[in-house]
Amino acid sequence: MNSTNGNTLTLGVVGAGAMGRGIVQLFAQAGHRVRCFDAASGAAAKAVEFALGMIGRGVEKGRLSAEDFNAIQGRVSACAQMADLADCDVVIEAIVEDIEVKRTVFRALEDVVSETAVLASNTSSLTVADIAAACRHPARVAGLHFFNPVPLMKVAEVIAALRTSPQTVDTLSRLVSGAGHRAVVTADQPGFLVNHAGRGLYTEGLRILEEQAASPADVDDVLRDGVGFRMGPFELLDLTGLDVSSKVMASIYEQFQHEPRFRPSSLVAPRVAAGLFGRKTGEGWYAYDGDRKRAPQRLAPPPPVAGVRAWIDPQAGGREALGALLSDAGAVLVDDTTQADILFVQPWGGDATGVAAALGLDASRVVAVDPMVPLDLRRTLMLTATTSASARDIAWALLAADGVPVTLINDSPGFIAQRVLATVVNIAAQIAQRGIASVADIEDAVQLGLGYPHGPLAWGDRIGGARILQILRTMQAETGDPRYRPSPWLVRRVALGVSLLTPEAARA
């Protein structure tokens, strides 16, 4: 096989759909010879035409010379039969997610290509070892999972099945890197790396909704505006389509032997049955006019009340910032709870009712404020089970006085931001614990593949590993749910006082 270090390879792409044509475009632009085959008559030619059309836009915009474009055109072709892939160094399959169909294709490819050719599947959900089991030479079979649109999503997962050789992994990694994408190596486990790491946002968002703690729009607002996600979980589910996402959630849960961290929500099946898939059906968690989401109705905050007396829990971590905000809004801070109109608490991992009971406070006057979300971005107010309407309105008015948005939620261990971020960090820690991917690959894959503002373990460091552990343990104690049990990776690094990015120093 030719080296990928600056040398041109001959690549085959089997499948002419959106992923296949994107793969053709990526490697054609990278300087390789690319041949596309599809069993459907004329499909490969259309895919090549599309890919070249996309590349040709670079000429129109001055990013690519006409000479270079002509050279690319000369290296890309459509194949009429699979036999035309005989001299390919690497063949990438990008067809329907059906194990028997893929096995048939791989068996046929082995009859065509040389024994040194690498065979890769762009599968997003099937076990690569299951595909490789159909082959005579499973050592040269691996997964190579791209994300749509392939040329723009700058990451690809190189999936090493149990029999995949290190040379095969190295060849595909160098091929991807040479095309300008980040190659992340992952074990052949459910969801591989990106979909595995992304479970926390979806499942915890749905869990919050199950508990009637907040609406989909409230969850999305807090996580988007207050935390930095590009989209909240319900916006994302509407974008990808609940019909598709529901299958992924169920598949990962089943393949991980009903691991509680990945437990799907019972809210999903009825919505799928009702056809509420999201944007493509005009309604999902939101209603749409075409691709445009209709803005959900928002209630205006009540008018401020002068001379409100407010007490803040002396143990609250964000007491100083909250106190300054309340004073600026006209509240009078008092030290005696019996003299206060409103009692503010700021729990980590707990709920407002639990704090009120533990401190012996009048729960009808208690409101909790999330200390994790910066107060200049968005404020989350949590009510106890018995917070009065007057106390709710007083707190709401005070915290909305300067115009910063306020999200009002019901009692929920960990608010919204705390429980979602702690879950995201914990799942990433467990991926590292199981050796599914390296710390560096986890961090880059999540940022590039999911668009998170930080890698999950670095995000855990920013919040504080001890704080993440506190949130998880408190939530597990309050709910009794094993989904919140901390990963040993997290526990050990907190115990040693080291970064969550610290890899294992040695292995037995």
Side-chain angles (χ1 to χ4, degrees), residues 183-219:
V184 295
V185 179
T186 175
D188 191 16
Q189 287 290 290
F192 306 131
L193 177 49
V194 173
N195 283 332
H196 185 169
R199 290 308 91 202
L201 179 61
Y202 290 126
T203 58
E204 200 57 32
L206 287 162
R207 178 79 174 184
I208 292 168
L209 187 60
E210 283 180 13
E211 297 171 7
Q212 293 291 292
S215 69
D218 287 337
V219 174

